[in-house]
């Protein structure tokens, strides 16, 4: 098999912004290719870019097209990832495979952060991070997001990790990996669908300028880890916490009863939660994403100065 030259392309709008020192916000694409149903995914992808532009920031949605890693997908390329039937999920380890096989792929948090940093983009928004899975002490099931973020100096806005994961273990791993976690106007770690996962975090910031100062201090010290900004969903728009806890317990029990393990666990649980909440979890997911995109754009402007 003849291996093609490394495929990496930066969109014209993104490159002009980077050259000018203008603010740019990186956005992942697995939320579009794998996280949302069609045609809602395309609507969200285009609306998110419009939301970023309205804030005076250039959006850089990142994905893989025909094996080429693209930082700043065009509208047609976003539509392709949202509608094609053979789009794969691409983490960092999958980038060379996608290249050689000339695949289309939605990039995970890890791959998006890696490609954004390689391009010079300093801020990224996502919905929820990957983390440590329940029973990881037996399965060693831990998202590649964590290892990549430990060596990728980007500022990342998320609403914590999805509550189907082991949040306590995830926070412990983040500490072990020397990845700073700060709450945005909160000292409680969010649980994606809910504003408070039940776990405290030691530090908080109050403004986008605080986030920019934290990133600058990290860079001045020569540290290579990401800075994680934990931005909870508006409490008025979260899933009812008691309802959330009941549905989550039912989902975990159903997974055990069905013998679901490994990489099948997350999609099974998310699908169960969506069906059991009558679609409410999907709407919360979108509220989470919009809020993180809005805050990420503000931080990108602050970082750009």
């Amino acid at each position: 098999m003849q291996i093609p030259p490394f495929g990496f392309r930066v969109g014209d709008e993104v490159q002009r912004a980077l050259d000018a020192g203008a603010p740019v916000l990186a956005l992942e694409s697995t939320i579009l290719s794998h996280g949302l149903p069609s045609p809602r995914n395309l609507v969200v992808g285009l609306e998110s870019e419009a939301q970023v532009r309205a804030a005076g920031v250039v959006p850089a949605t990142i994905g893989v097209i025909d094996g080429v890693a693209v930082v700043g997908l065009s509208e047609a390329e976003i539509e392709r990832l949202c509608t094609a039937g053979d789009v794969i999920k691409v983490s960092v380890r999958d980038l060379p495979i996608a290249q050689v096989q000339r695949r289309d792929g939605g990039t995970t948090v890890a791959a998006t952060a890696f490609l954004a940093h390689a391009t010079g983009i300093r801020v990224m928004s996502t919905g929820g991070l990957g983390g440590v899975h329940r029973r990881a002490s037996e399965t060693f099931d831990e998202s590649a997001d964590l290892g990549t973020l430990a060596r990728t100096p980007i500022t990342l806005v998320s609403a914590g990790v999805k509550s189907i994961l082991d949040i306590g273990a995830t926070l412990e791993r983040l500490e072990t990996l020397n990845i700073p976690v700060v709450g945005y106007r909160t000292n409680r770690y969010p649980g994606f669908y809910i504003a408070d996962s039940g776990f405290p975090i030691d530090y908080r910031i109050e403004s986008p300028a605080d986030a920019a100062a934290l990133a600058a201090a990290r860079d001045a010290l020569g540290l290579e880890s990401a800075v994680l900004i934990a931005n909870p969903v508006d409490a008025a728009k979260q899933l009812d916490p008691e309802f959330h806890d009941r549905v989550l317990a039912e989902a975990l029990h159903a997974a055990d009863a069905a013998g679901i393990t490994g990489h099948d666990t997350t999609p099974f649980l998310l699908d169960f939660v969506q069906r059991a909440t009558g679609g409410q979890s999907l709407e919360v997911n979108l509220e989470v994403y919009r809020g993180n995109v809005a805050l990420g754009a503000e931080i990108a402007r602050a970082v750009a100065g």
Side-chain angles (χ1 to χ4, degrees), residues 178-195:
N178 290 316
I179 301 174
V181 180
V182 296
Y184 189 72
R185 300 176 181 172
T186 182
N187 286 104
R188 308 295 296 178
Y189 192 66
F192 192 79
Y193 296 121
I194 51 177

Side-chain angles (χ1 to χ4, degrees), residues 124-129 156-161 189-190 228-232 292:
M124 174 185 162
S125 287
T126 187
L129 288 179
L156 176 59
V157 180
S158 76
V161 297
Y189 192 66
L228 302 186
I229 311 298
N231 182 40
N292 291 342

Side-chain angles (χ1 to χ4, degrees), residues 10-301:
V10 181
D12 292 342
E13 181 186 18
V14 173
Q15 189 62 65
R16 287 194 299 269
L18 291 171
D19 291 343
V24 179
L25 179 66
L27 303 171
E28 53 132 327
S29 52
T30 51
I31 187 173
L32 308 179
S33 61
H34 292 79
L36 297 173
S38 179
R40 197 78 178 271
N41 54 353
L42 179 57
V43 172
V44 170
L46 299 181
E47 283 183 347
S48 298
E49 291 220 333
Q51 180 184 359
V52 174
R53 288 194 178 93
V57 177
V58 172
T61 303
I62 296 176
V64 177
I65 300 294
D66 195 26
V68 177
V70 181
V71 179
L73 294 166
S74 67
E75 183 173 325
E77 289 167 337
I78 291 174
E79 182 174 1
R80 176 167 165 169
L81 292 186
C82 289
T83 57
D86 58 349
V87 178
I88 62 173
K89 184 181 291 188
V90 177
S91 189
V92 175
R93 70 166 191 171
D94 307 303
L95 286 169
I97 299 170
Q99 179 196 353
V100 171
Q101 296 185 354
R102 300 187 184 278
R103 301 295 298 272
D104 289 347
T107 49
T108 64
V109 168
T112 304
F114 171 80
L115 293 167
H117 173 63
T119 312
I121 299 173
R122 300 160 68 187
V123 185
M124 174 185 162
S125 287
T126 187
L129 288 179
V132 178
H133 288 248
R134 295 168 188 263
R135 298 179 180 171
S137 60
E138 303 169 13
T139 64
F140 294 90
D141 192 354
E142 175 184 318
S143 171
D145 292 351
L146 302 186
T148 298
L149 293 172
R151 55 184 183 274
T152 306
I154 197 165
T155 299
L156 176 59
V157 180
S158 76
V161 297
K162 286 187 171 68
S163 50
I164 61 172
L165 302 178
D166 188 328
I167 295 176
T170 299
L171 288 170
E172 291 290 348
R173 283 294 288 149
L174 290 169
E175 180 181 352
T176 299
L177 292 169
N178 290 316
I179 301 174
V181 180
V182 296
Y184 189 72
R185 300 176 181 172
T186 182
N187 286 104
R188 308 295 296 178
Y189 192 66
F192 192 79
Y193 296 121
I194 51 177
D196 181 357
S197 69
F199 291 88
I201 44 180
D202 294 330
Y203 305 106
R204 64 186 283 162
I205 58 174
E206 303 298 331
S207 69
D210 289 345
L214 183 57
R218 183 264 323 271
D219 294 343
L221 289 166
L223 301 176
E224 62 178 9
S225 64
V227 170
L228 302 186
I229 311 298
N231 182 40
V233 66
D234 185 335
K237 298 177 179 178
Q238 68 178 340
L239 276 182
D240 176 78
E242 291 187 3
F243 179 46
H244 164 272
D245 291 349
R246 184 171 71 252
V247 168
L248 178 58
E250 292 171 356
L252 294 170
H253 177 75
D256 282 342
I260 303 296
T261 59
H263 66 272
D264 295 326
T265 303
T266 294
F268 176 89
L269 293 174
L270 293 179
D271 178 68
F272 186 101
V273 170
Q274 182 172 326
R275 288 185 288 104
T277 61
Q280 290 181 53
S281 64
L282 175 60
E283 298 307 314
V284 175
N285 188 340
L286 296 178
E287 289 294 338
V288 163
Y289 191 56
R290 293 187 191 104
N292 291 342
V293 168
L295 179 56
E298 292 182 31
I299 293 174
R301 288 171 53 190

